[in-house]
Amino acid sequence: MISLNETVIQTSNLELAALTFGNPAHPPVVALHGWLDNAASFIPLAKFLDKVHLIALDLPGHGKSGHRSGANAYHFVDYATDVILAVESLGLNHFSLLGHSLGGGVAAVIAAIAPDKVKRLAMVEGLAPVTAPPQDMLKQLRRHVDSTRKPASLSRVYDSIEQAAVVRQQAGDLSLAAAMLIAERNLIESSGGYRWRTDRRLKKPTPVYLVEEQVVQYLSDIQCEAMLIRSNQGILKTWPSLAGREPILKKLDVIDIEGGHHCHMDTPEIVAQYLSPFLTDA
């Protein structure tokens, strides 16, 4: 059985939590989860990636990582800074990236920012963020400012972890077993039951989106070999706004499989068939 360890990473921004899997002597792979998920989302996949040292981060506001202070928002591009600072704290000079959904977009930006450090880029059901046209930016910023005037409400109290997992399953495309893994890491005991420890501000309107031209430039600047795994029922196939960017990457291998958005959790053995040789050969 592959070893699993809890790790705390102190950066100049925040304290980040992580789960690490496998032999530290193996090639390092930094794994980034999706929005409102956490590092535990890589547990099912980890046992099939036994030839790499997998370092799965809890992104800020998620899992057991710290929350941004004050009224600071969760900008997409700030995640890239958080990850780079974490990698530097770990002393990794060269590493590969594995990202799911939001984490796939963050990983792509990091690959563009740090081409001398990123050996290979693997993305599951995520390639780049949602964008918006410039004419919508002012309206979006107003929505964000209005939302900051209202304090974030306390999360619901659940009688049990199982009850919270059922609600999480119903809110997204994943199995109950997968929802249980996410819930177990993301819940904290509270008076009368359990609450999500996730920062409630993650659900507030983002202050600003990137425009499509910026995303195209990021993707164009990626130099390493890349792999994208898409599911036939996932968001890259069902959200038209996220489709069509694949040809921008110069060295991208696209793999289409059966499944949903959380295919790396629900059918990890299928996803690993492609990821394992790709990441091990880096």
Side-chain angles (χ1 to χ4, degrees), residues 252-282:
L252 178 66
D253 188 9
V254 179
I255 308 294
D256 289 311
I257 65 171
E258 299 284 326
H261 185 52
H262 284 78
C263 57
H264 66 309
M265 298 189 76
D266 291 332
T267 56
E269 65 283 0
I270 295 175
V271 174
Q273 288 178 13
Y274 303 100
L275 288 182
S276 182
F278 178 74
L279 295 170
T280 303
D281 292 343

mmCIF file of all heavy atoms in Angstrom, residues 252-282:
data_model
loop_
_atom_site.group_PDB
_atom_site.id
_atom_site.type_symbol
_atom_site.label_atom_id
_atom_site.label_comp_id
_atom_site.label_asym_id
_atom_site.label_seq_id
_atom_site.Cartn_x
_atom_site.Cartn_y
_atom_site.Cartn_z
ATOM 1 N N LEU A 252 0.432 19.047 -26.670
ATOM 2 C CA LEU A 252 -0.662 18.513 -25.862
ATOM 3 C C LEU A 252 -1.197 17.218 -26.443
ATOM 4 O O LEU A 252 -1.530 17.137 -27.632
ATOM 5 C CB LEU A 252 -1.803 19.532 -25.777
ATOM 6 C CG LEU A 252 -3.039 19.085 -24.997
ATOM 7 C CD1 LEU A 252 -2.718 18.898 -23.528
ATOM 8 C CD2 LEU A 252 -4.188 20.088 -25.173
ATOM 9 N N ASP A 253 -1.287 16.209 -25.583
ATOM 10 C CA ASP A 253 -1.910 14.943 -25.930
ATOM 11 C C ASP A 253 -3.275 14.903 -25.246
ATOM 12 O O ASP A 253 -3.356 14.990 -24.017
ATOM 13 C CB ASP A 253 -1.032 13.780 -25.447
ATOM 14 C CG ASP A 253 -1.517 12.433 -25.948
ATOM 15 O OD1 ASP A 253 -2.420 12.412 -26.807
ATOM 16 O OD2 ASP A 253 -0.994 11.407 -25.474
ATOM 17 N N VAL A 254 -4.352 14.795 -26.031
ATOM 18 C CA VAL A 254 -5.714 14.803 -25.485
ATOM 19 C C VAL A 254 -6.248 13.377 -25.433
ATOM 20 O O VAL A 254 -6.231 12.658 -26.441
ATOM 21 C CB VAL A 254 -6.646 15.694 -26.333
ATOM 22 C CG1 VAL A 254 -8.063 15.668 -25.756
ATOM 23 C CG2 VAL A 254 -6.120 17.121 -26.385
ATOM 24 N N ILE A 255 -6.717 12.983 -24.249
ATOM 25 C CA ILE A 255 -7.260 11.646 -24.028
ATOM 26 C C ILE A 255 -8.738 11.775 -23.682
ATOM 27 O O ILE A 255 -9.102 12.483 -22.738
ATOM 28 C CB ILE A 255 -6.530 10.927 -22.875
ATOM 29 C CG1 ILE A 255 -5.014 10.949 -23.083
ATOM 30 C CG2 ILE A 255 -7.060 9.512 -22.713
ATOM 31 C CD1 ILE A 255 -4.522 10.177 -24.264
ATOM 32 N N ASP A 256 -9.593 11.085 -24.414
ATOM 33 C CA ASP A 256 -11.025 11.081 -24.128
ATOM 34 C C ASP A 256 -11.419 9.747 -23.509
ATOM 35 O O ASP A 256 -11.086 8.679 -24.031
ATOM 36 C CB ASP A 256 -11.832 11.318 -25.404
ATOM 37 C CG ASP A 256 -11.709 12.748 -25.897
ATOM 38 O OD1 ASP A 256 -11.893 13.670 -25.078
ATOM 39 O OD2 ASP A 256 -11.420 12.952 -27.097
ATOM 40 N N ILE A 257 -12.144 9.817 -22.375
ATOM 41 C CA ILE A 257 -12.566 8.606 -21.671
ATOM 42 C C ILE A 257 -14.045 8.709 -21.324
ATOM 43 O O ILE A 257 -14.657 9.776 -21.435
ATOM 44 C CB ILE A 257 -11.735 8.376 -20.385
ATOM 45 C CG1 ILE A 257 -12.007 9.504 -19.366
ATOM 46 C CG2 ILE A 257 -10.249 8.273 -20.700
ATOM 47 C CD1 ILE A 257 -11.397 9.240 -17.998
ATOM 48 N N GLU A 258 -14.605 7.597 -20.870
ATOM 49 C CA GLU A 258 -15.969 7.580 -20.368
ATOM 50 C C GLU A 258 -15.964 8.061 -18.912
ATOM 51 O O GLU A 258 -15.052 7.760 -18.157
ATOM 52 C CB GLU A 258 -16.540 6.161 -20.422
ATOM 53 C CG GLU A 258 -16.620 5.564 -21.822
ATOM 54 C CD GLU A 258 -17.775 6.126 -22.620
ATOM 55 O OE1 GLU A 258 -18.822 6.426 -22.008
ATOM 56 O OE2 GLU A 258 -17.626 6.279 -23.848
ATOM 57 N N GLY A 259 -16.998 8.800 -18.533
ATOM 58 C CA GLY A 259 -17.092 9.200 -17.140
ATOM 59 C C GLY A 259 -17.579 10.611 -16.965
ATOM 60 O O GLY A 259 -18.008 11.273 -17.908
ATOM 61 N N GLY A 260 -17.478 11.076 -15.715
ATOM 62 C CA GLY A 260 -17.937 12.407 -15.369
ATOM 63 C C GLY A 260 -16.788 13.314 -14.961
ATOM 64 O O GLY A 260 -15.619 12.989 -15.147
ATOM 65 N N HIS A 261 -17.133 14.443 -14.345
ATOM 66 C CA HIS A 261 -16.137 15.463 -14.021
ATOM 67 C C HIS A 261 -15.112 14.968 -13.005
ATOM 68 O O HIS A 261 -13.949 15.340 -13.062
ATOM 69 C CB HIS A 261 -16.857 16.699 -13.489
ATOM 70 C CG HIS A 261 -15.965 17.868 -13.237
ATOM 71 N ND1 HIS A 261 -15.097 18.364 -14.191
ATOM 72 C CD2 HIS A 261 -15.789 18.645 -12.125
ATOM 73 C CE1 HIS A 261 -14.427 19.391 -13.695
ATOM 74 N NE2 HIS A 261 -14.827 19.574 -12.438
ATOM 75 N N HIS A 262 -15.519 14.122 -12.059
ATOM 76 C CA HIS A 262 -14.600 13.593 -11.049
ATOM 77 C C HIS A 262 -14.113 12.186 -11.419
ATOM 78 O O HIS A 262 -13.996 11.310 -10.577
ATOM 79 C CB HIS A 262 -15.273 13.582 -9.669
ATOM 80 C CG HIS A 262 -15.365 14.940 -9.041
ATOM 81 N ND1 HIS A 262 -16.308 15.859 -9.404
ATOM 82 C CD2 HIS A 262 -14.612 15.532 -8.068
ATOM 83 C CE1 HIS A 262 -16.157 16.963 -8.675
ATOM 84 N NE2 HIS A 262 -15.134 16.792 -7.867
ATOM 85 N N CYS A 263 -13.800 11.995 -12.672
ATOM 86 C CA CYS A 263 -13.357 10.682 -13.145
ATOM 87 C C CYS A 263 -12.092 10.208 -12.432
ATOM 88 O O CYS A 263 -11.882 9.000 -12.271
ATOM 89 C CB CYS A 263 -13.118 10.716 -14.655
ATOM 90 S SG CYS A 263 -11.923 11.978 -15.202
ATOM 91 N N HIS A 264 -11.238 11.134 -11.987
ATOM 92 C CA HIS A 264 -10.004 10.723 -11.303
ATOM 93 C C HIS A 264 -10.293 10.103 -9.940
ATOM 94 O O HIS A 264 -9.444 9.405 -9.377
ATOM 95 C CB HIS A 264 -9.063 11.913 -11.153
ATOM 96 C CG HIS A 264 -9.565 12.998 -10.247
ATOM 97 N ND1 HIS A 264 -10.812 13.561 -10.374
ATOM 98 C CD2 HIS A 264 -8.982 13.616 -9.182
ATOM 99 C CE1 HIS A 264 -10.975 14.485 -9.441
ATOM 100 N NE2 HIS A 264 -9.893 14.533 -8.706
ATOM 101 N N MET A 265 -11.501 10.347 -9.414
ATOM 102 C CA MET A 265 -11.908 9.748 -8.149
ATOM 103 C C MET A 265 -12.755 8.498 -8.364
ATOM 104 O O MET A 265 -12.620 7.515 -7.647
ATOM 105 C CB MET A 265 -12.698 10.753 -7.310
ATOM 106 C CG MET A 265 -11.931 12.003 -6.917
ATOM 107 S SD MET A 265 -12.852 13.018 -5.719
ATOM 108 C CE MET A 265 -12.615 12.063 -4.214
ATOM 109 N N ASP A 266 -13.647 8.550 -9.349
ATOM 110 C CA ASP A 266 -14.596 7.456 -9.540
ATOM 111 C C ASP A 266 -14.051 6.319 -10.396
ATOM 112 O O ASP A 266 -14.448 5.167 -10.212
ATOM 113 C CB ASP A 266 -15.882 8.012 -10.148
ATOM 114 C CG ASP A 266 -16.643 8.897 -9.178
ATOM 115 O OD1 ASP A 266 -16.522 8.682 -7.960
ATOM 116 O OD2 ASP A 266 -17.351 9.811 -9.635
ATOM 117 N N THR A 267 -13.154 6.627 -11.330
ATOM 118 C CA THR A 267 -12.514 5.579 -12.152
ATOM 119 C C THR A 267 -11.000 5.850 -12.207
ATOM 120 O O THR A 267 -10.435 6.053 -13.282
ATOM 121 C CB THR A 267 -13.102 5.535 -13.572
ATOM 122 O OG1 THR A 267 -12.992 6.828 -14.184
ATOM 123 C CG2 THR A 267 -14.562 5.109 -13.548
ATOM 124 N N PRO A 268 -10.336 5.845 -11.050
ATOM 125 C CA PRO A 268 -8.918 6.221 -11.018
ATOM 126 C C PRO A 268 -8.016 5.281 -11.806
ATOM 127 O O PRO A 268 -7.000 5.714 -12.360
ATOM 128 C CB PRO A 268 -8.578 6.184 -9.524
ATOM 129 C CG PRO A 268 -9.578 5.249 -8.926
ATOM 130 C CD PRO A 268 -10.840 5.476 -9.709
ATOM 131 N N GLU A 269 -8.378 3.995 -11.870
ATOM 132 C CA GLU A 269 -7.538 3.047 -12.587
ATOM 133 C C GLU A 269 -7.490 3.357 -14.081
ATOM 134 O O GLU A 269 -6.453 3.168 -14.738
ATOM 135 C CB GLU A 269 -8.029 1.615 -12.348
ATOM 136 C CG GLU A 269 -9.404 1.282 -12.899
ATOM 137 C CD GLU A 269 -10.571 1.804 -12.084
ATOM 138 O OE1 GLU A 269 -10.346 2.444 -11.051
ATOM 139 O OE2 GLU A 269 -11.728 1.549 -12.498
ATOM 140 N N ILE A 270 -8.590 3.879 -14.630
ATOM 141 C CA ILE A 270 -8.615 4.244 -16.052
ATOM 142 C C ILE A 270 -7.787 5.499 -16.287
ATOM 143 O O ILE A 270 -6.978 5.572 -17.212
ATOM 144 C CB ILE A 270 -10.070 4.446 -16.519
ATOM 145 C CG1 ILE A 270 -10.829 3.121 -16.447
ATOM 146 C CG2 ILE A 270 -10.098 5.017 -17.931
ATOM 147 C CD1 ILE A 270 -12.307 3.240 -16.769
ATOM 148 N N VAL A 271 -7.969 6.498 -15.448
ATOM 149 C CA VAL A 271 -7.205 7.741 -15.575
ATOM 150 C C VAL A 271 -5.714 7.474 -15.415
ATOM 151 O O VAL A 271 -4.884 8.007 -16.155
ATOM 152 C CB VAL A 271 -7.701 8.768 -14.534
ATOM 153 C CG1 VAL A 271 -6.823 10.020 -14.556
ATOM 154 C CG2 VAL A 271 -9.155 9.133 -14.799
ATOM 155 N N ALA A 272 -5.355 6.610 -14.472
ATOM 156 C CA ALA A 272 -3.943 6.323 -14.192
ATOM 157 C C ALA A 272 -3.260 5.577 -15.331
ATOM 158 O O ALA A 272 -2.038 5.661 -15.479
ATOM 159 C CB ALA A 272 -3.813 5.523 -12.906
ATOM 160 N N GLN A 273 -4.016 4.854 -16.144
ATOM 161 C CA GLN A 273 -3.428 4.175 -17.291
ATOM 162 C C GLN A 273 -2.662 5.151 -18.182
ATOM 163 O O GLN A 273 -1.674 4.807 -18.800
ATOM 164 C CB GLN A 273 -4.499 3.471 -18.115
ATOM 165 C CG GLN A 273 -5.085 2.224 -17.478
ATOM 166 C CD GLN A 273 -6.170 1.609 -18.341
ATOM 167 O OE1 GLN A 273 -6.325 1.962 -19.505
ATOM 168 N NE2 GLN A 273 -6.934 0.692 -17.766
ATOM 169 N N TYR A 274 -3.162 6.376 -18.248
ATOM 170 C CA TYR A 274 -2.532 7.400 -19.078
ATOM 171 C C TYR A 274 -1.571 8.270 -18.285
ATOM 172 O O TYR A 274 -0.480 8.621 -18.755
ATOM 173 C CB TYR A 274 -3.631 8.271 -19.720
ATOM 174 C CG TYR A 274 -4.609 7.473 -20.523
ATOM 175 C CD1 TYR A 274 -5.853 7.114 -19.992
ATOM 176 C CD2 TYR A 274 -4.297 7.046 -21.812
ATOM 177 C CE1 TYR A 274 -6.756 6.358 -20.732
ATOM 178 C CE2 TYR A 274 -5.199 6.299 -22.568
ATOM 179 C CZ TYR A 274 -6.428 5.948 -22.013
ATOM 180 O OH TYR A 274 -7.317 5.206 -22.743
ATOM 181 N N LEU A 275 -1.966 8.616 -17.052
ATOM 182 C CA LEU A 275 -1.147 9.520 -16.258
ATOM 183 C C LEU A 275 0.152 8.882 -15.781
ATOM 184 O O LEU A 275 1.196 9.536 -15.748
ATOM 185 C CB LEU A 275 -1.929 10.021 -15.041
ATOM 186 C CG LEU A 275 -3.052 11.019 -15.280
ATOM 187 C CD1 LEU A 275 -3.666 11.435 -13.947
ATOM 188 C CD2 LEU A 275 -2.560 12.236 -16.038
ATOM 189 N N SER A 276 0.093 7.625 -15.371
ATOM 190 C CA SER A 276 1.263 6.997 -14.759
ATOM 191 C C SER A 276 2.486 7.001 -15.677
ATOM 192 O O SER A 276 3.540 7.495 -15.291
ATOM 193 C CB SER A 276 0.930 5.581 -14.313
ATOM 194 O OG SER A 276 2.037 4.985 -13.672
ATOM 195 N N PRO A 277 2.400 6.506 -16.912
ATOM 196 C CA PRO A 277 3.588 6.539 -17.765
ATOM 197 C C PRO A 277 3.988 7.967 -18.145
ATOM 198 O O PRO A 277 5.185 8.264 -18.274
ATOM 199 C CB PRO A 277 3.166 5.734 -19.003
ATOM 200 C CG PRO A 277 1.687 5.708 -18.973
ATOM 201 C CD PRO A 277 1.285 5.770 -17.543
ATOM 202 N N PHE A 278 3.014 8.849 -18.295
ATOM 203 C CA PHE A 278 3.309 10.226 -18.672
ATOM 204 C C PHE A 278 4.116 10.921 -17.586
ATOM 205 O O PHE A 278 5.121 11.591 -17.867
ATOM 206 C CB PHE A 278 2.015 10.977 -18.946
ATOM 207 C CG PHE A 278 2.199 12.435 -19.290
ATOM 208 C CD1 PHE A 278 2.683 12.818 -20.535
ATOM 209 C CD2 PHE A 278 1.866 13.430 -18.376
ATOM 210 C CE1 PHE A 278 2.847 14.156 -20.854
ATOM 211 C CE2 PHE A 278 2.031 14.762 -18.687
ATOM 212 C CZ PHE A 278 2.530 15.129 -19.924
ATOM 213 N N LEU A 279 3.693 10.788 -16.333
ATOM 214 C CA LEU A 279 4.358 11.475 -15.230
ATOM 215 C C LEU A 279 5.635 10.765 -14.795
ATOM 216 O O LEU A 279 6.596 11.412 -14.356
ATOM 217 C CB LEU A 279 3.401 11.596 -14.038
ATOM 218 C CG LEU A 279 2.168 12.478 -14.261
ATOM 219 C CD1 LEU A 279 1.189 12.324 -13.115
ATOM 220 C CD2 LEU A 279 2.564 13.936 -14.439
ATOM 221 N N THR A 280 5.684 9.465 -14.924
ATOM 222 C CA THR A 280 6.880 8.718 -14.508
ATOM 223 C C THR A 280 8.047 8.955 -15.434
ATOM 224 O O THR A 280 9.208 8.988 -15.003
ATOM 225 C CB THR A 280 6.547 7.201 -14.468
ATOM 226 O OG1 THR A 280 5.452 6.988 -13.581
ATOM 227 C CG2 THR A 280 7.747 6.419 -13.962
ATOM 228 N N ASP A 281 7.764 9.153 -16.711
ATOM 229 C CA ASP A 281 8.836 9.341 -17.693
ATOM 230 C C ASP A 281 9.399 10.752 -17.706
ATOM 231 O O ASP A 281 10.305 11.049 -18.465
ATOM 232 C CB ASP A 281 8.327 9.001 -19.100
ATOM 233 C CG ASP A 281 8.035 7.521 -19.251
ATOM 234 O OD1 ASP A 281 8.515 6.748 -18.425
ATOM 235 O OD2 ASP A 281 7.303 7.169 -20.189
ATOM 236 N N ALA A 282 8.830 11.642 -16.894
ATOM 237 C CA ALA A 282 9.263 13.044 -16.919
ATOM 238 C C ALA A 282 10.717 13.193 -16.470
ATOM 239 O O ALA A 282 11.174 12.463 -15.614
ATOM 240 C CB ALA A 282 8.366 13.874 -16.024
#
